[in-house]
Amino acid sequence: MKAPAAACPIRHPLDQGPDGVNRPGLHLNPRYHAIRDSGTGVVEVARANGTTAKLVTRYDDVMVVLRDPLFSREKALPFDDVSNLEDTILGLDGTAHAAVRGLVKNHFTPRAIEARRAEIEHCAAAQLQVMIGRGAPADLLTDFALPFALELICDLLGLPEADRADFHRWSKAFLSHSNLSREEAEASLGEMHGYLAGLLQQRRDAPAGDLLSQIAVDGAHLPTHQLVMLPIALIVGGWETSASSIGTFVQVLLTHPYEEYETGYAYLVDHPADLIGAIIELERMFSTSGADDMPRYATADITLPSGAHLTKGDVVIPSHDAANYDPRAFIDPYTMNFARFARAATDTTVERHLSFGYGIHHCIGRHLGHGEVVAAIGLLLRELPTLRLAVAAEDIPRKTGHAVGGPTHLPVTWS
């Protein structure tokens, strides 16, 4: 018999305040490290929806939960903090998941993203010139990262330019955990769903050679809701997460020393060849996709590598952020090391961190998102080598109650 949520000493999410709003900081809550490094690293937590779950924090355990088909995403949906994930690549299992993902996966391979590298760099350069043209100080999020990431994913899909601004409002509602009521979130989703359903029908009748047309034509045999939710997931996840990563990583680089340099940013200005390794290390240490992956449901009893025993019916929350700091998997994991993933520039198999997930539900846009961040920060290093914060580091506001972490604004200046 499961313990009532009220009996669990640990509330989840771990940065949740007395008002129920989650307020994660830039650095991972140290309680994750304490949990991971004691016992089996698996503890029962009380969730805001009144249920309990098992929080899994060690690298090998998290890998098993993410890749073993005994752990179901679909069966976990009733226990999820994010609503309306039914029929999406984030909420389907097995053949249904493969059918939806298969419509677009070839557009997000390393080779496909490499073929778009010039387009990505051009889009970043154009938006940076807009920001520079307006003069310093500027907000790196609203003046650069957000419009750059939105334009890129919308260009890829073929979304009409006149309609793109609407996705900011819709996306904020879709990703909010606690700032909006379920009714408000569902109303925004309904607007986005209706708009895209009409647009997909238009593209099915008159294909335009873009990704939306491919989804509409090649996916005509799939249920309408599954088809509509695919571009929603791509737009919301591909835009918000990439922009937040740019903002977060620049914040870290401008506020953290590296080797003999006052900041990591100054180091990379002088060592641009280390950029890719630096970005992968920042992805490991400062993931913006929330500390924890979406819940899974154990469909059978299973013993994890740590020795923790899970029972059929358990709701399981794998923490990729806690796993990314596991000393069993990483040497000196608390130290930022731009050379840790140095081979990634020439060896695409080197991607040991779990910030993009693992298994069938690994982030489909991980190569695009990584390419966007590399292009954006590489451009900033070249064009604005004197970039610095325009406010004190402690005054940078952060998102609350949101599925994607990061700053809401990042005031910067340059000379």
Side-chain angles (χ1 to χ4, degrees):
M1 182 175 178
K2 294 186 185 298
C8 295
I10 301 175
R11 300 174 69 210
H12 187 274
L14 269 59
D15 293 296
Q16 181 183 170
D19 57 0
V21 177
N22 199 42
R23 297 180 176 85
L26 177 63
H27 295 273
L28 183 64
N29 189 316
R31 200 168 190 183
Y32 279 103
H33 305 309
I35 293 169
R36 186 194 59 240
D37 297 334
S38 63
T40 62
V42 178
V43 296
E44 191 160 53
V45 294
R47 308 188 69 223
N49 58 17
T51 64
T52 61
K54 299 294 179 65
L55 180 67
V56 177
T57 60
R58 291 188 183 170
Y59 187 93
D60 288 345
D61 286 358
V62 170
M63 287 274 282
V64 169
V65 175
L66 293 178
R67 73 185 178 196
D68 195 316
L70 288 177
F71 294 95
S72 167
R73 267 296 295 144
E74 202 164 329
K75 291 182 182 296
L77 291 179
F79 310 98
D80 214 313
D81 289 324
V82 180
S83 59
N84 302 305
L85 294 178
E86 296 81 2
D87 291 322
T88 73
I89 55 175
L90 300 176
L92 291 169
D93 290 331
T95 55
H97 174 269
V100 174
R101 192 183 185 98
L103 292 175
V104 297
K105 66 180 182 180
N106 289 340
H107 288 263
F108 294 96
T109 63
R111 179 177 294 181
I113 300 307
E114 176 60 25
R116 288 184 171 271
R117 183 152 60 106
E119 175 187 344
I120 294 170
E121 293 174 349
H122 174 76
C123 188
Q127 189 58 48
L128 183 61
Q129 286 308 308
V130 172
M131 186 184 87
I132 293 173
R134 292 172 179 164
D139 183 341
L140 193 77
L141 265 297
T142 60
D143 293 333
F144 176 58
L146 281 165
F148 159 55
L150 179 61
E151 285 300 303
L152 199 64
I153 191 65
C154 289
D155 283 346
L156 176 63
L157 283 162
L159 197 71
E161 289 193 25
D163 302 329
R164 297 180 181 187
D166 289 333
F167 280 89
H168 190 187
R169 173 172 53 89
W170 291 334
S171 298
K172 286 173 66 176
F174 187 77
L175 289 165
S176 276
H177 279 165
S178 52
N179 289 348
L180 297 175
S181 68
R182 180 173 289 269
E183 291 75 21
E184 290 173 315
E186 289 181 349
S188 287
L189 178 64
E191 290 181 54
M192 189 158 43
H193 190 286
Y195 168 78
L196 280 170
L199 190 58
L200 284 167
Q201 185 58 55
Q202 291 176 22
R203 297 297 167 82
R204 187 175 297 123
D205 295 338
D210 50 37
L211 187 51
L212 276 176
S213 298
Q214 179 175 322
I215 293 170
V217 174
D218 293 350
H221 62 289
L222 294 176
T224 300
H225 186 58
Q226 287 186 11
L227 213 58
V228 171
M229 291 303 293
L230 179 55
I232 289 177
L234 293 174
I235 294 168
V236 173
W239 169 41
E240 185 87 11
T241 304
S242 295
S244 291
S245 293
I246 293 168
T248 297
F249 297 170
V250 170
Q251 179 183 355
V252 171
L253 290 171
L254 291 176
T255 55
H256 289 62
Y258 190 76
E259 295 191 352
E260 73 277 14
Y261 285 78
E262 185 176 350
T263 68
Y265 193 90
Y267 173 88
L268 289 176
V269 168
D270 286 350
H271 301 83
D274 291 347
L275 176 62
I276 292 178
I279 297 303
I280 301 176
E281 177 71 332
L282 291 166
E283 289 167 350
R284 178 186 72 86
M285 299 185 73
F286 298 95
S287 165
T288 58
S289 55
D292 307 321
D293 288 85
M294 293 178 172
R296 267 64 170 177
Y297 180 93
T299 62
D301 294 357
I302 186 171
T303 299
L304 297 175
S306 66
H309 182 69
L310 301 177
T311 304
K312 179 181 179 180
D314 281 342
V315 175
V316 183
I317 302 174
S319 177
H320 61 263
D321 271 3
N324 280 341
Y325 283 87
D326 190 343
R328 300 162 189 83
F330 301 97
I331 298 171
D332 195 11
Y334 298 97
T335 299
M336 190 161 58
N337 178 5
F338 294 166
R340 188 187 302 274
F341 300 102
R343 283 193 302 120
T346 55
D347 182 355
T348 57
T349 66
V350 179
E351 190 182 33
R352 293 183 299 148
H353 70 68
L354 299 178
S355 296
F356 293 116
Y358 195 78
I360 67 167
H361 284 286
H362 68 272
C363 176
I364 194 170
R366 70 191 188 281
H367 299 297
L368 175 61
H370 175 78
E372 289 178 72
V373 175
V374 168
I377 295 182
L379 182 68
L380 289 169
L381 293 168
R382 292 191 303 272
E383 298 296 320
L384 297 176
T386 62
L387 189 74
R388 58 192 182 275
L389 295 181
V391 298
E394 59 269 22
D395 292 335
I396 296 172
R398 295 186 60 80
K399 298 176 189 176
T400 62
H402 205 272
V404 178
T408 59
H409 300 280
L410 189 65
V412 295
T413 189
W414 57 92
S415 55

